[in-house]
């Protein structure tokens, strides 16, 4: 209820500002950001970052080939899970045109990183992520909070009370099962990518499908050729499980536990992005681990802003929100996960009550 009150109050403030003839609140923030030069491309940063990730990938593959059929390959699998997470963050930046200003090199890079190196459809993910950015935490419009195995609001939980079997069990205990479920996220991304090839919204299904098949032919072919079946299955489980856990740990703190937007709620762009997002405080290690997505508010306001500019943009944005009286959420990484898990437990209450 408190969250709903905040959304209503700040929405009214935004309307008053626009009616006063001052222009939108976001336009003033955008002017300040532009004057600070924070939207210009940073080719040196991305050259160094992508080179480092590429060398890490090459090193992981080389270690895999040198070690051979041994259980120590599980350490290689764990290291490659981190590399895969960094590749996912690179694909994210390419999709938002943070690296290149033009569409073609961004798409080409995205296809190479996502489809070829990760086994995830660039076109499908970009479509999904664009819809998320347009309406973050909107119950009916944000695909990231669509009820699937997990419900994100009490309304979704009430609608799912008739569910049976595993779906009902997971919904009742979703907070406790959240991190274990994240270990399946890497496989879910690949499965959803293949399923999306039949979607009318997919622009190049043949190309993307071919690249996905090529990825998994090399991935599974190499693993099961070099390793015995038991070790191969263990390698895939560790690699995919930790990869999914990494991605989930990066994306979950940014919006989970923040206000949900119901149908009919009207918010201007600035408030829609700020009120539904959370920044994660930390040092340089947090910046590297989360690929800049710990500055989620600034990223949502300026999606094409290069990663190294986000920290400076955060200072400007937080100060500007304070001027307007707009709540600006910051939290530590552990605290943000704790909030997200508490939210999952609270919204799952109708499912637990229905089983009593």
């Amino acid at each position: 209820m408190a969250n709903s009150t905040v959304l209503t109050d700040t929405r009214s403030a935004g309307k008053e500002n626009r009616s006063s003839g001052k222009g939108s609140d976001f336009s003033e923030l955008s002017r300040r950001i532009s004057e600070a030069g924070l939207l210009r491309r940073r080719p040196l940063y991305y050259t160094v970052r992508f080179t480092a990730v590429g060398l890490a990938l090459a090193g992981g593959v080389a270690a895999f080939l040198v070690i051979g059929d041994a259980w120590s390959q599980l350490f290689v699998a764990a290291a490659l899970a981190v590399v895969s997470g960094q590749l996912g963050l690179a694909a994210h930046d390419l999709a938002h045109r943070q690296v290149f200003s033009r569409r073609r090199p961004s798409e080409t890079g995205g296809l190479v990183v996502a489809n070829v190196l990760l086994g995830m459809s660039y076109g499908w993910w970009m479509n999904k992520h664009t819809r998320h950015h347009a309406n973050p935490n909107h119950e009916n419009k944000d695909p990231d909070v669509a009820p699937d195995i997990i419900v994100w609001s009490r309304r979704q939980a009430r609608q799912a009370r008739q569910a049976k079997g595993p779906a009902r069990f997971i919904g009742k205990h979703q907070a406790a099962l959240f991190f274990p479920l994240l270990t399946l996220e890497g496989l879910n991304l690949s499965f959803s990518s293949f399923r999306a090839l039949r979607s009318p919204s997919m622009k190049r299904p043949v190309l993307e499908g071919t690249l996905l098949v090529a990825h998994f032919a090399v991935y599974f072919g190499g693993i099961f050729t070099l390793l015995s079946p038991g070790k191969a299955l263990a390698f895939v489980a560790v690699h995919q499980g930790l990869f999914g856990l990494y991605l989930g740990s990066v994306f979950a703190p940014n919006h989970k536990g923040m206000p949900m937007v119901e149908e009919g709620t009207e918010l201007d762009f600035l408030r829609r992005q700020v009120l539904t997002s959370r920044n994660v405080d930390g040092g340089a290690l947090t910046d590297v681990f989360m690929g800049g997505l710990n500055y989620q508010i600034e990223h949502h306001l300026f999606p094409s802003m290069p990663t190294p500019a986000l920290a400076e943009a955060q200072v400007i944005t937080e100060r500007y929100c304070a001027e307007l009286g707009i709540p600006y959420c910051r939290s530590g990484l552990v605290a943000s996960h704790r909030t997200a898990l508490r939210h999952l437990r609270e919204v799952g209450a109708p499912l637990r009550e229905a089983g009593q």
Side-chain angles (χ1 to χ4, degrees):
M1 292 300 294
N3 288 340
S4 299
T5 302
V6 170
L7 292 176
T8 302
D9 290 343
T10 53
R11 176 184 62 191
S12 299
K15 286 186 174 181
E16 290 172 4
N17 177 278
R18 290 194 298 275
S19 64
S20 68
K22 298 179 182 178
S24 74
D25 290 331
F26 176 70
S27 65
E28 169 60 21
L29 175 61
S30 182
R31 182 188 66 78
R32 297 184 188 185
I33 292 293
S34 296
E35 288 181 353
L38 301 180
L39 296 177
R40 71 176 187 275
R41 294 293 173 270
R42 308 293 177 93
L44 178 60
Y45 165 82
Y46 279 108
T47 298
V48 173
R49 175 178 161 185
F50 286 7
T51 299
V53 175
L55 290 174
L57 176 61
V61 172
F64 174 79
L65 295 174
V66 169
I67 293 174
D69 188 23
W71 285 107
S72 56
Q73 288 282 16
L74 298 186
F75 293 104
V76 178
L80 286 175
V82 176
V83 175
S84 295
Q86 287 292 316
L87 287 171
L89 293 170
H92 171 272
D93 288 8
L94 286 162
H96 280 296
R97 299 193 189 180
Q98 296 176 18
V99 185
F100 305 106
S101 58
R102 293 184 293 116
R103 178 179 61 84
R104 178 157 295 186
S106 298
E107 288 186 349
T108 300
L111 288 169
V112 171
V113 175
N115 291 62
V116 177
L117 299 180
L118 284 179
M120 178 185 75
S121 167
Y122 173 79
W124 162 76
W125 182 85
M126 185 174 180
N127 177 275
K128 172 178 176 289
H129 195 62
T130 299
R131 288 184 285 130
H132 158 70
H133 265 262
N135 292 283
N137 272 19
H138 192 293
E139 287 190 286
N140 298 327
K141 298 179 180 179
D142 182 357
D144 286 357
V145 293
D148 190 4
I149 294 178
I150 291 177
V151 294
W152 305 103
S153 71
R154 281 181 170 261
R155 184 183 66 83
Q156 292 177 352
R158 286 191 294 268
Q159 293 175 344
R161 281 186 295 188
Q162 301 305 316
K164 299 183 183 297
R168 184 177 185 82
F169 176 82
I170 290 173
K172 291 169 63 176
H173 306 283
Q174 60 181 20
L177 295 174
F178 181 67
F179 282 106
L181 287 172
L182 286 181
T183 62
L184 302 176
E185 182 59 21
L187 296 174
N188 178 56
L189 291 173
S190 296
F191 175 77
S192 297
S193 296
F194 278 105
R195 185 173 57 186
L197 295 175
R198 302 192 302 267
S199 172
S201 62
M202 183 68 71
K203 295 180 179 179
R204 293 180 290 270
V206 175
L207 173 62
E208 294 223 29
T210 300
L211 294 177
L212 289 174
V213 170
H215 166 84
F216 284 106
V218 173
Y219 179 77
F220 287 117
I223 292 173
F224 280 89
T225 296
L226 189 62
L227 304 181
S228 62
K231 295 186 184 72
L233 290 173
F235 185 97
V236 172
V238 170
H239 176 234
Q240 292 297 327
L242 292 182
F243 170 50
L245 188 62
Y246 183 6
L247 284 186
S249 297
V250 168
F251 284 94
N254 301 327
H255 298 282
K256 306 312 180 223
M258 295 301 292
M260 297 287 287
V261 181
E262 297 182 354
E263 192 67 42
T265 302
E266 295 181 13
L267 294 168
D268 65 354
F269 178 76
L270 177 65
R271 289 162 178 80
R272 183 166 69 248
Q273 303 300 339
V274 174
L275 295 175
T276 59
S277 303
R278 176 194 298 111
N279 277 14
V280 177
D281 290 336
L285 287 178
T286 302
D287 290 354
V288 173
F289 174 76
M290 299 190 70
L293 294 184
N294 45 317
Y295 302 104
Q296 188 71 189
I297 294 173
E298 289 68 38
H299 170 61
H300 262 253
L301 290 169
F302 304 96
S304 63
M305 179 181 290
T307 296
L310 290 169
E312 187 175 347
Q314 186 273 325
V315 177
I316 297 173
T317 303
E318 185 175 21
R319 184 182 301 127
Y320 182 65
C321 287
E323 293 175 14
L324 297 180
I326 300 175
Y328 184 100
C329 184
R330 296 172 61 181
S331 176
L333 182 60
V334 174
S336 65
H337 279 298
R338 188 181 299 119
T339 300
L341 293 176
R342 184 165 55 247
H343 170 76
L344 287 175
R345 177 167 178 77
E346 289 174 355
V347 300
L351 286 169
R352 293 192 298 276
E353 294 166 359
Q356 294 176 352

